[in-house]
């Protein structure tokens, strides 16, 4: 969540940098949160873009259960370890235009701004194929609900000079030193 807040604070004209339509949709449909969250493609794209640049698990390790062959023709024998990096893949210039840039719009279509999903194999932040994370849908729903509730009630600012976004290279990539943020109640921030 801290990476998401950091990323959404950077673009000054982001639809998520203010109360936006997200809270309006949420308030109108509190009875069916799944349906109301599906009506927020920009929010979904923003969460996805934050996960593209900062996947929860930056490095994956798998063991081949039987002999196999990778798409590029590489032979893998049973018992071999296969290591891949969602962090590196999500920043690969061959797959992503301007990969270091935080641009949620890359996930939206040109016609109506609807969300356009990429291949699980091109965007492996939730794994892919039979190893696809079973909690992917729930994770998205939780982050989007939490975000709409927070953005409806608070504005956020980083005290001091802000944070570089550097993180520790561990199993789950926490932000180095945490991410101090000041939450200002919207009633107060209007003054």
């Amino acid at each position: 969540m801290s990476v998401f807040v950091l990323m959404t604070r950077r673009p000054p004209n982001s639809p998520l940098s203010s109360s936006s339509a997200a809270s309006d949709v949420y308030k109108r449909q509190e009875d069916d949160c799944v349906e109301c969250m599906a009506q927020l493609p920009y929010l979904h794209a923003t969460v996805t873009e934050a996960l593209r640049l900062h996947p929860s698990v930056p490095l994956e390790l798998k063991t081949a259960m039987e002999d196999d062959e990778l798409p590029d023709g590489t032979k893998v024998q049973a018992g071999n370890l296969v290591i891949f990096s969602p962090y590196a893949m999500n920043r690969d210039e061959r797959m992503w235009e301007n990969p270091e840039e935080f641009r949620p719009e890359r996930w939206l279509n040109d016609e109506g701004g609807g969300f356009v999903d990429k291949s699980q194999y091109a965007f492996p932040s939730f794994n892919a194929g039979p190893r696809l994370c079973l909690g992917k849908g729930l994770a998205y729903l939780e982050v989007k609900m939490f975000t709409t509730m927070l953005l409806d009630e608070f504005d956020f600012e980083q005290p001091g000079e802000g944070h570089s976004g550097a993180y520790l290279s561990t199993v789950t990539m926490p932000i180095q030193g945490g991410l101090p943020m000041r939450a200002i109640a919207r009633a107060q921030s209007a003054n």
Side-chain angles (χ1 to χ4, degrees):
M1 188 67 189
S2 54
V3 168
F4 178 74
V5 171
L6 178 66
M7 299 308 292
T8 57
R9 293 303 301 156
R10 288 189 178 162
N13 297 324
S14 165
L16 296 179
S17 62
S18 65
S19 179
S20 78
S23 62
D24 294 338
V25 171
Y26 180 74
K27 284 177 183 174
R28 283 196 312 267
Q29 299 191 6
E30 288 179 353
D31 294 339
D32 189 355
C33 292
V34 175
E35 177 60 32
C36 71
M37 292 298 117
Q39 293 181 38
L40 302 171
Y42 192 86
L43 177 59
H44 193 84
T46 303
V47 172
T48 304
E49 184 69 353
L51 285 168
R52 183 186 69 80
L53 286 169
H54 303 278
S56 301
V57 180
L59 193 64
E60 292 276 354
L61 175 74
K62 307 292 181 202
T63 303
M65 300 307 291
E66 55 189 47
D67 291 350
D68 204 350
E69 186 175 318
L70 299 179
D72 70 352
T74 303
K75 305 284 187 211
V76 180
Q77 296 177 347
N80 284 160
L81 294 179
V82 176
I83 301 171
F84 66 96
S85 173
Y87 177 86
M89 292 171 70
N90 290 340
R91 293 168 182 262
D92 188 336
E93 291 177 347
R94 295 170 297 178
M95 299 181 65
W96 303 97
E97 184 179 327
N98 301 316
E100 297 291 330
E101 195 176 304
F102 179 74
R103 226 180 57 211
E105 296 78 13
R106 76 175 76 236
W107 297 93
L108 301 174
N109 67 28
D110 294 334
E111 293 80 46
F115 184 80
V116 178
D117 214 351
K118 307 282 190 240
S119 162
Q120 300 168 5
Y121 299 97
F123 174 65
S125 293
F126 286 96
N127 257 314
R131 299 278 186 209
L132 183 66
C133 175
L134 295 175
K136 177 182 176 182
L138 181 59
Y140 268 112
L141 180 63
E142 287 177 340
V143 169
K144 292 189 297 187
M145 286 180 63
F146 188 64
T147 301
T148 56
M149 287 188 265
L150 283 177
L151 291 179
D152 189 43
E153 298 291 329
F154 300 99
D155 284 317
F156 293 90
E157 64 181 39
Q158 292 178 353
E161 294 181 25
H163 195 281
S164 68
Y167 47 86
L168 299 172
S169 184
T170 67
V171 174
T172 58
M173 287 182 61
I175 285 190
Q176 190 171 13
L179 183 64
M181 296 293 287
R182 184 176 295 127
I184 303 163
R186 284 205 176 266
Q188 292 176 0
S189 65
N191 297 332

